[in-house]
Amino acid sequence: MEFDGLRRLVERLIGPHCGLCGASGATEGLCDPCRRDLPMLPAARCPRCALPTPDGAVCGVCLKTPPVHDGVVCPARYDFPVGALIRALKYHGRLAAARPLADLLGRAIRVETPPDLVLPMPVSPSRFAERGYNQVTEIARLLEPRWRDRIDPRVLERTVDAPPQASLPMDKRRRNVRGAFRCSEIVRGKRVAVVDDVMTTGATLDEAARILKRAGAVEVRGWIVARTPRLR
Ligand SMILES: [Zn+2]
Ligand SMILES: [Zn+2]
């Protein structure tokens, strides 16, 4: 408690510290040199799944099996330090890590007309009870003040406590998330963005998109901080 008070006093005097290197004067949770060093995906990437492609064309996998969703914004690779920030936020209660992640994602989202609804990818009820928060909601809330009233964490929900995708081999992931969501009727006729921290196969986003579109959403886009390479 005393340490916290001291830290706040120091922050007030010399500005907030960088969440990675500790340098002072960090504006959005990271200092400028650390932000420049972030592992970004190349600008030329598949608009559907964010994997690097020549000239930013749709990749072969997405041509062959078009995803249900309408495209993703995903600026970073799931590598150090982005992966470490995501894990700190998700597993270690380091809520301050949400700020640099939201800053990273927010800079990549260049939408002229914002979506009608911004929905954090829900975590399962038991994981929510265990952690006390959904790490993605924390990121979504910091994205852009103007969109704050479009964020509603209750619209899209997990129905079941499926095993975490990270614990499963790639070929089991699509089946694992089948039927994992339900959503409210409010999405009918709406353009929706689903926010998430990590994308691997895209199976989770696609299942969420399927449920949202079945309920009448006219567009579902993914806003995702980082992706892993496609391992298959
Ligand atoms: Zn730094
Ligand atoms: Zn693709």
Side-chain angles (χ1 to χ4, degrees):
M1 216 44 199
E2 268 172 29
F3 175 77
D4 233 41
L6 184 64
R7 187 177 52 78
R8 275 199 300 272
L9 178 67
V10 169
E11 279 191 359
R12 215 173 309 141
L13 292 174
I14 59 174
H17 286 263
C18 172
L20 287 173
C21 72
S24 59
T27 45
E28 297 296 339
L30 294 183
C31 69
D32 286 341
C34 282
R35 186 178 297 122
R36 275 197 298 274
D37 275 355
L38 290 175
M40 306 302 281
L41 284 164
R45 49 192 194 246
C46 172
R48 310 301 299 274
C49 73
L51 282 179
T53 53
D55 310 324
V58 176
C59 76
V61 175
C62 291
L63 278 176
K64 194 162 154 249
T65 321
V68 179
H69 63 75
D70 299 287
V72 296
V73 173
C74 179
R77 282 183 285 120
Y78 186 73
D79 278 331
F80 185 83
V82 173
L85 287 167
I86 288 173
R87 288 190 299 274
L89 173 63
K90 201 173 192 162
Y91 302 119
H92 305 294
R94 291 262 317 274
L95 295 181
R99 171 137 334 255
L101 296 172
D103 180 52
L104 176 61
L105 180 57
R107 282 165 196 260
I109 301 166
R110 294 192 193 93
V111 275
E112 280 148 39
T113 26
D116 304 305
L117 285 168
V118 178
L119 308 179
M121 183 66 85
V123 295
S124 73
S126 71
R127 235 160 288 148
F128 186 83
E130 193 181 302
R131 285 180 203 152
Y133 61 95
N134 174 357
Q135 75 281 358
V136 179
T137 307
E138 301 302 313
I139 296 171
R141 286 200 174 118
L142 293 169
L143 276 179
E144 164 63 65
R146 285 175 300 154
W147 305 333
R148 212 163 283 166
D149 57 352
R150 295 164 199 252
I151 301 172
D152 193 338
R154 295 161 307 178
V155 170
L156 182 64
E157 291 178 310
R158 289 259 175 183
T159 52
V160 284
D161 284 325
Q165 290 288 80
S167 70
L168 295 174
M170 296 295 156
D171 57 337
K172 298 271 161 48
R173 291 185 180 197
R174 195 163 289 277
R175 215 179 316 149
N176 183 50
V177 290
R178 194 84 186 170
F181 299 103
R182 67 167 163 252
C183 71
S184 90
E185 290 291 308
I186 203 173
V187 302
R188 184 163 303 281
K190 301 270 168 57
R191 295 167 58 248
V192 174
V194 177
V195 183
D196 206 351
D197 49 4
V198 187
M199 173 168 170
T200 301
T201 61
T204 308
L205 174 64
D206 230 34
E207 179 62 11
R210 193 177 71 83
I211 295 304
L212 289 162
K213 288 200 166 180
R214 204 176 61 184
V218 291
E219 185 187 285
V220 179
R221 296 175 61 76
W223 291 354
I224 302 166
V225 178
R227 88 163 344 282
T228 63
R230 188 175 353 234
L231 306 165
R232 66 178 184 195

